[in-house]
Amino acid sequence: MTGRPGPADGKNRGTQPGDGQRRVRIPVARGPAPKHRLPGLLAALCDRLPEDRLDEWEQTLARASGPEDPLLVRFTASQPAAGTAERMKAVLQVWRAELPDLSGTGLALALAAVRAAPRPLPAQPVISGPVSAATPARLTSGVALEVIRCASASLLIATYAAHGASDVVEEIAAAAGRGVQVDLLLEETTHAATAFSDLTPDVRIWHRTGSAGVLHAKAITADRHTALLGSANLTDRGLTENVELGVILRDPGVVGPLVDHFRWLIAPQTGLMRRCP
């Protein structure tokens, strides 16, 4: 009797060796590839550290033989900003656990790649006063200088009080010296303008015209891309010793409108502030 083989016959024929049919190799199911944590930790450091400190970290990694190199231990221990040493230690721990054979040069290249990749920069807390390892924040004194230094066209600063803070005054003078337009919005009743009396006339100082209320805002804005907002006045204690809280913003979509508001305050047509001689 002739005829087509049934399903069972076909299946049996397909499994017989030497029948002219090729065996089909069924791939073994595998789990997802392990997700490394190093890229995320490196990105977090890039968001946290200023460019000069990232340069130092990258150069130190390039000279290191591996995660156990004492050079890295010393560099990590030397970090002054709150929480930075803990983050670097986390990088070393994960490096040791996940990729112990990766050279320092390899991790330095990975850091360079993360730095070069465009990514949104989150708001970052800034503090003055006592520092705890639980606070992933940077110090107000350092951030204030960093924001002033990154201004290339305009610098707008508002503060209720100002005295001392010679480092800030020097950075403002340096910004004006490289052609940055500087505007200082100051509260007149606190005599804040006295702290900036040595600056050149190109630095414009503004006071409120009305007697109702005071200028209580504290802000440092560089161009339209970076801003430091917080409770700290530009005083020695406000930048270092007092318990103060702030945030650094690096989002032009947020910083730009903030700058526009301050520009509106000092615009002649509003009559809200006057330029001091």
Side-chain angles (χ1 to χ4, degrees):
M1 178 180 294
T2 61
R4 294 183 179 178
D9 295 334
K11 181 178 180 181
N12 291 336
R13 284 175 57 84
T15 59
Q16 296 299 317
D19 62 359
Q21 296 186 7
R22 297 177 61 187
R23 291 182 180 272
V24 178
R25 183 180 298 275
I26 301 176
V28 177
R30 299 180 183 272
K35 184 177 181 180
H36 293 298
R37 291 175 290 166
L38 269 177
L41 293 174
L42 293 177
L45 273 177
C46 290
D47 293 341
R48 177 184 186 82
L49 297 181
E51 289 299 315
D52 58 345
R53 192 59 55 82
L54 284 172
D55 288 339
E56 293 177 10
W57 176 234
E58 189 175 317
Q59 293 166 10
T60 303
L61 287 173
R63 296 196 304 270
S65 58
E68 306 291 349
D69 196 313
L71 178 67
L72 295 174
V73 176
R74 292 194 296 271
F75 183 83
T76 298
S78 69
Q79 300 307 304
T84 300
E86 285 69 24
R87 287 175 181 262
M88 288 185 173
K89 288 178 184 177
V91 170
L92 299 183
Q93 291 171 355
V94 173
W95 181 10
R96 189 180 304 117
E98 293 184 349
L99 297 168
D101 295 330
L102 180 67
S103 66
T105 301
L107 192 57
L109 289 173
L111 176 61
V114 173
R115 293 177 65 182
R119 65 189 187 282
L121 296 177
Q124 188 176 11
V126 179
I127 62 171
S128 299
V131 175
S132 71
T135 307
R138 297 181 55 201
L139 300 179
T140 308
S141 55
V143 174
L145 299 179
E146 177 188 332
V147 174
I148 296 172
R149 288 169 185 159
C150 76
S152 60
S154 64
L155 181 65
L156 193 150
I157 298 176
T159 187
Y160 173 75
H163 54 78
S166 58
D167 289 347
V168 171
V169 177
E170 290 175 5
E171 286 298 335
I172 294 173
R178 62 177 182 268
V180 175
Q181 176 60 64
V182 181
D183 289 284
L184 305 179
L185 285 67
L186 308 175
E187 172 55 34
E188 188 171 13
T189 62
T190 64
H191 306 289
T194 304
F196 308 102
S197 59
D198 291 336
L199 296 177
T200 65
D202 291 339
V203 175
R204 303 188 298 190
I205 295 178
W206 303 86
H207 288 155
R208 282 177 56 97
T209 56
S211 59
V214 296
L215 190 152
H216 204 251
K218 294 96 176 177
I220 302 176
T221 65
D223 302 329
R224 298 175 61 84
H225 54 69
T226 306
L228 169 61
L229 310 179
S231 62
N233 286 300
L234 293 184
T235 66
D236 290 334
R237 295 188 65 181
L239 295 173
T240 57
E241 298 177 7
N242 294 347
V243 177
E244 308 280 1
L245 180 64
V247 64
I248 181 170
L249 306 172
R250 299 187 183 91
D251 183 348
V254 177
V255 176
L258 177 66
V259 172
D260 290 339
H261 173 69
F262 282 114
R263 294 290 175 201
W264 175 80
L265 288 175
I266 64 177
Q269 59 269 28
T270 63
L272 296 174
M273 303 196 75
R274 71 184 190 280
R275 184 177 176 183
C276 299

